């Protein structure tokens, strides 16, 4: 147990406290979604950055975040001030026996204008609503039928948008390409290089004339401009991708009632006059008033900043856009949309995304800082050595002539020589400080997010993409995720009778009547019967509600007629905690009927009687209780969801008369009469068994957490492959929610490892399971769709909300939205998560090989001979290949099946693995050996000893430059598959990679053969080209052979860490 606690303490994800390592290392933030502003500020201050505006572009903008909070605070204060002023004015007038005046001003075809509607809801002006004739009068003014809604044809919608506006708000324009170009200029080293280029240009033209003197300065300037241009284009494209994904995140879909039927529309298409059904977890899409409500409670904290839940009734019917339905259900009449609402004004003022950093991005900034410090040190040493050699007369030009002679060399020439040395040193810094390394994360994330949309996953939080690659367990819902969510009642026990296909003739009249009444009234669903009799009936609601309503239709239910026969007194909406919902009805004979519907064994436990086939009320003796329990178990073992329907009568006199007391009334739930137990079939998704097996191969344990009966959960788990056999279906692997929550924290922690199935669980049980697993150092992904799932979704490392069945509250708390509610899509997200990490590692291996080789060759050559084989323009071209083009090629590799045949990526796993070190060292040593041999022995090896000294040096340096670049091109293929021997697997599927490699080769040929004056190169003959290609090609067989060299399991970086004292068990 001590070992477990120690492991948990070492990991930020296991709990809120930070480990000693994390406190010391500002770049070690395992969970950025809960990190404090101060913590985020710390790593920014610790990073070595050449271009802050670019490096931190896709991280959280701390200044804007604070401005956003301040803006929100001001708008909230504004809302409260207006209301307070109105209430004061209303109080004064009422004290004088007057009512505030509310005059109607017609607008277009409507007797009421937008200004009056805005003040009505903004001020919560109840007296104005009464002057309009209440909700009915207001709906008449807006030409809305309170039962059927608006007409909803195109002409009607257009007219309403023209008069009252649309439900959109002006968005701040995204940054233009010129802004990205300007930001790319902000790099300190590039600015120094441009200044050096201008000075060199001026001195060159002065000493050598315009025709020849502009090449040195001009070539550096051109190279810098090219780097800036390519960088800006790449960044701009990423920005456009993020913009489109952000738009997708904001586009919520909701149901509205138009022409008597419920249809789903985008939140942007809602108009004034629309009727919008609201259920627990929904976002209020516009300002409006409630026209019907059952225990409706609204969380207005988004607008008021207060976490208090506000109950809505006829005394306070006003709803504000942007708030969330905390409990109950109702229907609202929309009165204001878009910027005519406080929420719209707020969104218009803070619509710009403030960004977000990911743990990998922070770690890569740390790696870039370390590499940058090494590079700066090397560049500084090179600068000092070259300057010392130059001014001491030890530096010679290509023809062997001493470049600086004290008292003889002109000031201009001396300055020009010093500037050339400075440009080399600064260019080494450009190459050495890998600015593109942290930005490669955003590149691969942008690519992955776009592709994940096609795989039915919408990423809300960037960090979830990469964290999913570390997931060790997935806690999945059953209904709709593992199953199809296409429910049908296939079996029922009515009275003592088991029936298959329902037929009202099989049942007694009273029993049929009560069943139909309970089905039609105690539901949040609805039925639309088209005017033309031959058209199909349309049923709306949750899959369970729809299944029971269809069953009711088969029993002969006339939905509208039954609902019109009784009036609703009070309702207790279904919730996942209680696992049942009820309704109190005033029926025509002055009786009160209370209907309940919910989890079969829970409702059965409250039943004391049942109605037999002869319409007689029979007491529920022990024998009958066992009979019904066996029926439930039998259906559950065949993976049927069991729902019981019951009712009771109640004295009208005992029903609270006062509206406030009625809203607090708890419906009687004892002494119920059982009407029916129905078995609902929800088949497993065809793809789910393969998806679960793939997870198991990948080292990710799938756990089912469901509110369903434990027997149903077990049957589905066996069907899905979560439990492999009946032998696995033991108490150790299966647990009920109530038993789990009754355990102590330590016991929950211990048992959580073994749990495969949790039945009859509440959302709080799911939260407790997530917490227990995280304390065991698991990286937990959780699926959820209900409002009460929000805490578990937030607590989990990756919260996955369901796109179809998920409430807005669940989606807001999630990191990724699974658009098709399919478990197979969850597994695809795991695949993409691993791909993100793998692609970054490929890029690191490639970039570090270039870094090491370029730095060492220039350093050794500078110290030993006072000259560098790779000049400033060549290094800038190498930087372009390494940073922007390399990131594009390697960070956009699509995921492969190979990724799912390895264990999850550990959160503490080093960025550079032992395999990467092996590959990197082999390639770097090879490149350095070849290039250093060419540098010091190139003339003799290439038979250039008898050539002109200046030309021989240029040929040798050109060959070094050409071989170096071709080595990187060939090594780019090696970097694709760090741990696979076949580096060409799937190569033709990555068109971007092949395109970038082809472009690099073409540009290299052009640079060497045609741009020699700019790059200080000479044309190479075919033999030299073959030598360059062979030098590059050898890296392929070398990499292949190198992969047979075994590497230790313990990361190399761990060998250098201070060993922790052994724990005492």
């Amino acid at each position: 147990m001590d070992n477990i606690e120690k492991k948990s303490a070492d990991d930020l994800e296991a709990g809120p406290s930070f480990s000693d390592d994390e406190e010391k290392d500002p770049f070690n933030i395992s969970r950025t979604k809960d990190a404090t502003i101060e913590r985020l500020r710390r790593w920014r201050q610790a990073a070595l950055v050449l271009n802050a505006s670019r490096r931190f572009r896709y991280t959280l903008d701390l200044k804007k975040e604070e401005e956003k909070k301040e803006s929100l605070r001001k708008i909230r204060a504004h809302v409260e001030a207006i209301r307070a002023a109105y209430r004061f004015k209303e109080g004064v007038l009422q004290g004088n026996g007057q009512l505030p005046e509310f005059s109607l001003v017609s607008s277009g075809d409507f007797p009421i204008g937008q200004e009056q509607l805005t003040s009505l809801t903004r001020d919560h002006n109840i007296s104005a609503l009464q002057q309009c004739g209440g909700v009915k009068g207001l709906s008449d003014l807006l030409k809305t039928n309170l039962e059927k809604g608006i007409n909803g044809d195109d002409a009607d919608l257009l007219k309403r948008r023209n008069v009252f506006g649309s439900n959109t708000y002006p968005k701040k324009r995204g940054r233009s390409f010129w802004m990205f170009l300007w930001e790319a200029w902000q790099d300190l080293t590039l600015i120094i290089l441009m200044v050096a280029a201008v000075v060199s240009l001026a001195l060159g033209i002065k000493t050598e004339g315009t025709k020849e003197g502009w090449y040195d300065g001009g070539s550096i300037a051109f190279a810098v401009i090219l780097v800036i241009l390519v960088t800006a284009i790449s960044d701009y494209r990423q920005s456009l991708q993020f913009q489109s994904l952000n738009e997708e995140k904001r586009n919520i879909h909701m149901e509205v009632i138009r022409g008597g039927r419920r249809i789903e529309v985008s939140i942007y298409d809602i108009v004034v006059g629309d009727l919008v059904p609201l259920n627990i977890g929904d976002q209020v899409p516009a300002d409006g008033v409630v026209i019907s409500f059952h225990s409706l409670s609204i969380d207005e904290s988004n607008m008021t900043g207060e976490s208090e839940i506000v109950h809505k009734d006829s005394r306070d019917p006003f709803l504000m856009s942007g708030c969330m339905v905390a409990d109950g259900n109702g229907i609202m009449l929309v009165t204001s949309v878009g910027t005519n609402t406080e929420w719209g004004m707020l969104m218009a003022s803070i619509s710009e995304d403030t960004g977000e950093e990911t743990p990998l991005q922070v770690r890569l900034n740390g790696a870039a800082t370390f590499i940058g410090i090494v590079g700066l040190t090397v560049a500084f040493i090179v600068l000092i050595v070259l300057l010392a050699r130059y001014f001491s007369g030890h530096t010679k030009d290509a023809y062997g002539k001493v470049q600086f002679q004290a008292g003889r060399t002109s000031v201009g020439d001396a300055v020009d020589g010093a500037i050339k040395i400075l440009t080399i040193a600064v260019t080494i810094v450009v190459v050495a400080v890998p600015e593109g390394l942290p930005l490669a994360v955003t590149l691969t994330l942008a690519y992955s997010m776009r592709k994940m949309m096609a795989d039915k996953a919408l990423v809300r939080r960037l960090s979830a993409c990469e964290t999913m690659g570390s997931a060790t367990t997935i806690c999945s819902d059953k209904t709709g995720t593992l199953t199809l969510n296409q429910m049908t009642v296939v079996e029922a026990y009515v009275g003592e009778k088991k029936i298959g296909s329902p037929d009202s003739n099989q049942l007694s009249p009273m029993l049929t009547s009560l069943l139909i009444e309970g089905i039609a009234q105690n539901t949040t669903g609805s039925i639309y019967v088209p005017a033309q009799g031959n058209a199909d009936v349309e049923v709306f609601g949750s899959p369970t509600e729809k299944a029971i309503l269809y069953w009711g239709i088969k029993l002969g239910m006339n939905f509208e007629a039954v609902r019109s026969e009784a009036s609703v007194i009070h309702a207790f909406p279904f919730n996942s905690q209680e696992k049942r919902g009820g309704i109190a009805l005033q029926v025509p004979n002055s009786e009160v009927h209370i209907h309940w519907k919910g989890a079969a064994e829970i409702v059965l436990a409250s039943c004391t009687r049942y109605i037999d086939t002869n319409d007689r009320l029979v007491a529920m003796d022990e024998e009958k209780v066992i009979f019904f329990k066996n029926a439930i178990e039998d259906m559950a073992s065949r993976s049927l969801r069991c729902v019981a329907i019951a009712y009771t009568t109640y004295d009208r006199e005992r029903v609270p008369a006062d509206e406030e007391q009625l809203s607090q009334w708890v419906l009687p739930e004892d002494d119920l009469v059982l009407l029916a137990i129905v078995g609902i079939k929800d088949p497993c998704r065809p793809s789910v068994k393969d998806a679960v097996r793939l997870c198991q191969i990948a080292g990710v344990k799938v756990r089912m957490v469901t509110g369903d009966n434990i027997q149903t959960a077990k049957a589905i788990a066996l069907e899905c492959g979560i439990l492999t056999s009946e032998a696995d279906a033991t108490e150790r692997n299966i647990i009920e929610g109530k038993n789990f929550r009754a355990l102590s924290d330590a016991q929950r922690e211990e048992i959580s490892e073994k749990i495969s199935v949790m039945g009859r669980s509440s959302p709080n049980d799911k939260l407790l399971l997530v917490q227990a697993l995280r304390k065991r150092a698991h990286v937990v992904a959780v699926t959820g769709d209900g409002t009460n799932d929000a805490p578990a979704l937030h607590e989990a490392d990756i919260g996955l909300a369901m796109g179809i069945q998920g409430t807005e509250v669940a989606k807001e708390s999630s990191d990724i939205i699974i658009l098709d509610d399919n478990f197979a899509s969850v597994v695809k997200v795991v695949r993409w998560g691993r791909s993100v990490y793998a692609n970054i590692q490929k890029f690191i291996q490639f970039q570090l090989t270039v870094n090491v080789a370029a730095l060492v060759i220039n350093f050794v050559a500078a110290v030993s001979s006072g000259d560098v084989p790779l000049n400033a323009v060549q290094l800038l071209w190498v930087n372009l290949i390494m940073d922007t083009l390399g990131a594009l090629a390697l960070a956009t590799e699509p995921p492969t099946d190979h990724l799912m045949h390895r264990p999850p990526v550990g959160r503490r796993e080093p960025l550079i693995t032992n395999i990467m070190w092996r590959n990197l060292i082999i390639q770097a040593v090879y490149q350095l050996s070849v290039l250093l041999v060419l540098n010091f022995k190139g003339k003799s090896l290439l038979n250039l000893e008898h050539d002109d000294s200046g030309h021989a040096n240029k040929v040798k340096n050109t060959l070094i430059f050409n071989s170096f670049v071709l080595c990187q091109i060939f090594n780019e293929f090696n970097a694709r598959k760090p741990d696979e021997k076949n580096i060409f697997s799937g190569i033709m599927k990555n068109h971007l990679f092949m395109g970038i490699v082809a472009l690099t080769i073409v540009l290299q040929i052009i640079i060497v053969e045609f741009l020699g004056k700019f790059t200080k190169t000479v044309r190479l003959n075919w033999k030299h080209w073959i030598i360059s290609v062979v030098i590059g090609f050898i890296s392929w067989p070398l990499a292949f052979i190198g992969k047979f060299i075994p590497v230790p399991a313990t990361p190399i970086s761990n060998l250098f860490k201070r060993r922790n004292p052994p724990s005492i068990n």
Side-chain angles (χ1 to χ4, degrees):
M1 205 55 203
D2 288 341
N3 279 337
I4 292 162
E5 285 168 11
K6 179 174 173 293
K7 189 175 181 183
S8 298
D10 281 344
D11 204 321
L12 172 67
E13 296 291 2
S17 60
F18 301 129
S19 68
D20 291 340
D21 284 348
E22 289 200 331
E23 282 298 322
K24 290 172 188 171
D25 184 1
F27 298 107
N28 195 357
I29 305 177
S30 303
R31 184 176 165 109
T32 53
K33 74 176 178 180
D34 291 332
T36 62
I37 296 291
E38 188 51 43
R39 195 88 202 285
L40 298 178
R41 191 173 280 121
R42 263 183 68 204
W43 80 258
R44 284 165 172 75
Q45 291 166 347
L48 173 67
V49 179
L50 300 178
N51 185 347
S53 59
R54 182 168 183 252
R55 176 79 76 88
F56 298 139
R57 180 183 299 128
Y58 296 112
T59 60
L60 181 68
D61 189 322
L62 301 182
K63 187 181 175 185
K64 276 187 184 170
E65 187 67 10
E66 286 172 356
E67 287 173 358
K68 181 178 174 179
K69 286 177 181 174
E70 182 61 22
S71 175
L72 187 57
R73 190 192 63 76
K74 284 179 180 175
I75 287 180
R76 284 169 175 166
H78 174 69
V79 171
E80 291 303 310
I82 289 175
R83 286 211 194 115
Y86 172 76
R87 288 191 193 108
F88 177 75
K89 179 183 173 185
E90 188 179 36
V92 170
L93 289 169
Q94 283 177 348
N96 297 331
Q98 300 174 340
L99 276 175
E101 287 187 20
F102 184 80
S103 54
L104 296 175
V105 178
S106 63
S107 180
D109 292 342
F110 298 91
I112 189 170
Q114 182 57 59
E115 196 175 326
Q116 289 75 44
L117 287 170
T118 302
S119 68
L120 183 79
T121 47
R122 183 192 63 205
D123 302 337
H124 287 202
N125 193 341
I126 194 72
S127 63
L129 181 62
Q130 289 166 355
Q131 289 176 52
C132 290
V135 170
K136 178 69 175 74
L138 182 61
S139 67
D140 291 340
L141 294 172
L142 293 174
K143 300 186 177 179
T144 300
N145 183 305
L146 287 179
E147 295 292 328
K148 296 185 176 181
I150 61 172
N151 181 7
D153 59 26
D154 290 343
D156 183 33
L157 295 175
L158 182 62
K159 183 168 62 178
R160 290 175 186 274
R161 287 194 186 102
N162 288 338
V163 174
F164 302 114
S166 62
N167 201 25
T168 55
Y169 48 86
K171 297 176 183 64
K172 291 184 179 178
R173 288 182 62 190
R175 283 183 288 190
S176 66
F177 172 71
W178 304 109
M179 195 69 183
F180 286 95
L181 202 60
W182 172 250
E183 284 185 358
W185 274 101
Q186 307 305 304
D187 192 312
L188 180 62
T189 50
L190 295 182
I191 292 168
I192 293 170
L193 285 175
M194 281 304 288
V195 171
V198 170
V199 174
S200 179
L201 192 67
L203 289 171
I205 291 172
K206 184 180 177 183
T207 55
E208 298 178 45
T210 309
K211 191 173 182 182
E212 296 291 330
W214 70 277
Y215 283 118
D216 282 357
S219 60
I220 294 171
F222 176 76
V224 170
I225 290 167
L226 183 64
V227 168
I228 288 167
L229 198 62
V230 172
T231 300
I233 291 169
S234 173
D235 291 350
Y236 180 59
R237 286 185 72 253
Q238 279 185 60
S239 170
L240 292 178
Q241 288 176 11
F242 281 123
Q243 275 182 39
S244 64
L245 287 164
N246 283 333
E247 278 302 308
E248 196 68 38
K249 281 191 274 187
R250 295 189 188 105
N251 189 11
I252 300 166
H253 282 78
M254 300 198 74
E255 276 191 344
V256 296
I257 300 171
R258 290 178 183 171
R261 62 192 298 192
R262 295 190 182 198
I263 60 170
E264 193 175 270
V265 299
S266 164
I267 194 170
Y268 301 131
D269 294 331
I270 288 173
V271 295
V272 169
D274 260 328
L275 297 185
V276 182
L278 296 174
N279 292 301
I280 183 170
D282 284 345
Q283 179 179 317
V284 179
D287 282 1
V289 294
V290 287
I291 61 172
S292 69
F293 45 87
H294 301 301
S295 307
L296 185 63
S297 300
I298 304 293
D299 179 359
E300 295 185 346
S301 58
N302 278 353
M303 286 308 302
T304 64
E306 301 295 329
S307 56
E308 186 182 354
I309 303 299
V310 180
H311 297 280
K312 294 294 172 181
D313 51 32
S314 56
R315 289 170 301 173
D316 181 13
F318 300 102
L319 298 174
M320 288 189 291
S321 178
C323 299
M324 295 290 181
V325 180
D327 198 7
N329 57 63
I331 297 175
M332 73 174 284
L333 171 65
V334 175
T335 57
S336 295
V337 294
T339 49
N340 295 316
T341 69
E342 298 288 349
W343 180 253
M345 288 165 58
L346 176 65
M347 287 294 101
S349 67
I350 61 169
S351 60
E352 194 173 353
D353 195 8
T354 53
E356 175 217 348
E357 52 248 73
T358 74
L360 190 54
Q361 204 173 15
V362 177
R363 287 178 73 188
L364 285 173
N365 269 287
T369 297
F370 175 75
I371 297 164
I373 290 169
V374 173
L376 275 173
T377 307
V378 171
F380 182 72
I381 293 170
V382 168
L383 178 66
I384 298 300
V385 169
L386 290 182
L387 284 174
R389 290 182 67 97
Y390 178 77
F391 286 110
S392 63
H394 289 84
T395 304
K396 297 177 182 179
D397 62 14
Y399 299 96
K401 182 184 173 186
V402 176
Q403 289 188 330
F404 179 84
Q405 294 177 334
R408 294 185 185 179
T409 304
S410 68
V411 174
D413 287 343
V415 170
D416 192 36
I419 283 173
K420 285 177 181 174
I421 291 168
L422 178 67
T423 57
I424 289 167
V426 172
T427 310
I428 287 173
V429 175
V430 173
V431 176
V433 179
E435 286 286 283
L437 194 54
L439 293 168
V441 181
T442 50
L443 181 65
T444 190
L445 287 174
Y447 167 77
S448 301
M449 285 167 71
R450 193 175 76 250
K451 293 291 184 181
M452 283 164 78
M453 277 292 289
D455 281 343
K456 305 298 181 186
L458 171 62
V459 178
R460 295 189 71 255
R461 193 181 293 277
L462 275 177
S463 57
C465 258
E466 64 191 46
T467 310
M468 202 64 185
S470 301
T472 58
T473 185
I474 300 172
C475 299
S476 174
D477 286 337
K478 176 186 76 70
T479 306
T481 308
L482 297 170
T483 62
L484 284 168
N485 220 7
Q486 295 171 1
M487 299 195 186
T488 315
V489 176
V490 294
E491 202 170 290
Y493 285 81
V494 183
E496 304 163 280
K497 199 173 180 183
K498 178 181 174 181
I499 61 172
S501 55
D503 183 352
S504 57
N505 295 327
Q506 292 179 293
L507 307 177
S508 59
M510 185 176 89
L511 185 54
T512 304
S513 172
L514 286 169
L515 252 181
I516 287 174
E517 183 181 87
I519 291 168
Q521 296 284 4
N522 189 18
T523 182
T524 53
S526 64
I527 294 175
Y528 173 72
V529 182
Q532 44 287 40
N534 57 350
D536 289 338
V537 169
E538 293 179 35
V539 178
F540 304 95
S542 71
T544 306
E545 293 282 12
K546 285 165 73 174
I548 293 171
L549 286 171
Y550 272 120
W551 190 66
I553 291 169
K554 288 176 183 176
L555 286 173
M557 175 179 71
N558 184 328
F559 186 76
E560 291 298 334
V562 174
R563 284 175 75 90
S564 64
E565 286 171 3
S567 59
V568 177
I569 300 170
H570 185 57
F572 176 79
F574 178 89
N575 71 62
S576 51
Q577 197 74 36
E578 298 287 338
K579 306 220 177 291
R580 58 183 168 184
I583 194 164
L585 303 171
Q586 174 74 62
V587 291
N589 59 5
S590 300
E591 278 188 355
V592 172
H593 286 181
I594 295 172
H595 287 272
W596 285 96
K597 178 176 71 185
E601 68 271 26
I602 292 174
V603 173
L604 179 63
S606 299
C607 292
T608 56
R609 293 167 294 169
Y610 69 96
I611 297 178
D612 69 7
T613 49
N614 298 317
D615 276 347
R616 289 178 304 186
L617 276 174
V618 182
M620 187 87 71
D621 57 21
E622 193 174 338
E623 187 185 332
K624 282 298 169 202
V625 170
I626 292 169
F627 170 78
F628 287 120
K629 279 185 177 177
N630 288 340
I632 293 168
E633 282 192 22
D634 174 57
M635 289 192 285
S637 66
R638 288 180 282 121
S639 68
L640 301 186
R641 168 177 277 192
C642 301
V643 176
I645 301 168
Y647 103 111
T648 188
T649 55
Y650 197 71
D651 291 338
R652 185 70 182 89
E653 291 75 23
R654 293 166 64 192
V655 176
D658 178 70
E659 189 174 336
E660 189 172 347
Q661 288 179 337
L662 185 63
S663 67
Q664 303 297 321
W665 182 40
V666 177
L667 291 181
E669 53 190 20
D670 297 319
D671 196 26
L672 302 182
V673 178
L674 181 68
L675 298 177
I677 299 172
V678 297
I680 301 172
K681 182 69 177 171
D682 184 13
C684 265
R685 290 183 181 272
S687 58
V688 79
K689 195 161 188 175
D690 290 337
V692 169
R693 190 186 302 114
L694 190 59
C695 279
Q696 290 164 347
I697 293 167
V700 181
K701 183 175 175 67
V702 181
R703 305 168 201 268
M704 182 201 292
V705 184
T706 177
D708 264 350
N709 181 301
I710 196 81
Q711 295 298 329
T712 307
K714 172 185 161 185
I716 292 287
L718 284 165
E719 203 174 329
C720 293
I722 292 172
L723 296 173
T724 52
S725 66
E726 282 284 352
D728 282 345
T730 61
E731 272 188 42
R732 195 176 61 121
N733 296 331
I734 301 176
I735 194 168
E736 276 204 53
K738 64 181 180 183
N739 298 334
F740 182 71
R741 81 180 80 109
L743 298 171
S744 67
D745 288 351
Q747 288 172 320
R748 277 200 294 268
E749 231 180 283
E750 192 174 346
I751 202 172
S752 64
E753 289 276 5
K754 301 165 188 171
I755 294 171
S756 293
V757 176
M758 187 186 287
R760 279 291 174 245
S761 69
S762 68
N764 193 52
D765 298 330
K766 187 187 282 188
L767 176 61
L768 291 172
L769 178 62
V770 171
Q771 288 170 339
L773 287 167
R774 288 188 63 223
K775 283 176 184 172
R776 301 282 292 193
H778 278 287
V779 181
V780 186
V782 167
T783 70
D785 52 16
T787 302
N788 294 333
D789 286 330
L793 288 168
H794 180 76
E795 176 71 18
D797 299 287
I798 313 102
L800 303 155
M802 298 297 108
I804 300 170
Q805 292 300 316
T807 63
E808 279 312 307
V809 170
K811 290 174 187 176
E812 284 294 315
S813 299
S814 71
D815 304 300
I816 297 174
I817 298 171
I818 304 300
L819 299 173
D820 61 353
D821 291 12
N822 191 346
F823 184 78
S825 299
V826 176
V827 180
K828 286 176 185 174
V829 173
V830 175
R831 206 161 166 256
W832 276 109
R834 294 186 176 195
S835 175
V836 166
Y837 202 88
N839 286 351
I840 294 302
Q841 287 187 313
K842 293 170 189 177
F843 180 59
I844 290 171
Q845 180 183 305
F846 172 69
Q847 188 168 53
L848 285 187
T849 308
V850 186
N851 270 88
V852 170
L855 284 177
V856 173
I857 182 105
N858 269 11
F859 177 74
V860 172
V863 171
S864 59
S865 65
D867 190 20
V868 287
L870 299 172
N871 62 41
V873 176
Q874 291 168 0
L875 283 173
L876 285 171
W877 168 233
V878 169
N879 184 65
L880 200 61
I881 295 171
M882 181 179 73
D883 255 16
T884 310
L885 296 178
L888 270 172
L890 293 169
T892 56
E893 275 279 318
T896 61
D897 292 336
H898 176 71
L899 293 169
M900 297 300 281
H901 289 82
R902 54 167 80 157
V905 180
R907 283 173 297 189
R908 298 291 181 185
E909 188 174 302
L911 282 172
I912 307 172
T913 63
N914 289 357
I915 288 173
M916 291 167 67
W917 277 120
R918 178 195 64 194
N919 299 343
L920 193 157
I921 289 167
I922 289 170
Q923 293 298 326
V925 168
Y926 166 67
Q927 288 181 23
L928 282 171
S929 304
V930 171
L931 298 179
L932 287 172
V933 167
L934 283 174
N935 188 58
F936 294 109
K937 297 291 181 182
K939 286 184 184 179
S940 59
L941 289 173
L942 298 170
N943 296 321
L944 297 172
E945 290 162 314
H946 306 296
D947 281 21
D948 173 74
S949 178
H951 181 261
N953 265 333
K954 283 188 175 180
V955 171
K956 179 198 74 174
N957 286 345
T958 302
L959 186 69
I960 289 172
F961 167 59
N962 200 40
S963 301
F964 182 66
V965 170
L966 289 175
C967 275
Q968 309 324 316
I969 293 169
F970 279 94
N971 194 37
E972 217 161 349
F973 286 84
N974 292 329
R976 284 186 68 245
K977 306 286 180 183
D979 56 346
E980 292 180 56
K981 294 181 178 71
N982 182 7
I983 59 172
F984 304 107
S985 172
I987 190 77
M988 299 314 293
K989 291 179 183 176
N990 193 344
H991 304 301
L992 185 60
F993 180 89
M994 294 304 293
I996 286 169
V997 167
L999 178 67
T1000 309
I1001 292 169
V1002 169
L1003 289 174
Q1004 179 65 15
I1005 293 169
I1006 291 169
I1007 286 167
V1008 171
E1009 295 296 314
F1010 304 106
L1011 299 177
K1013 288 211 172 190
F1014 288 99
T1015 55
K1016 298 291 180 291
T1017 56
V1018 293
R1019 288 188 174 186
L1020 298 175
N1021 60 38
W1022 65 271
K1023 289 179 183 175
H1024 294 149
W1025 270 104
I1026 288 174
I1027 291 168
S1028 301
V1029 171
V1030 168
I1031 288 169
F1033 177 81
I1034 289 171
S1035 70
W1036 282 355
L1038 203 62
F1040 181 79
I1041 294 165
K1043 283 168 186 172
F1044 288 95
I1045 300 171
V1047 295
T1050 306
I1052 291 173
S1053 56
N1054 286 11
L1055 301 175
F1056 301 101
K1057 287 184 179 178
R1058 177 175 61 84
R1059 291 185 181 276
N1060 290 319
S1063 60
I1064 299 167
N1065 288 309

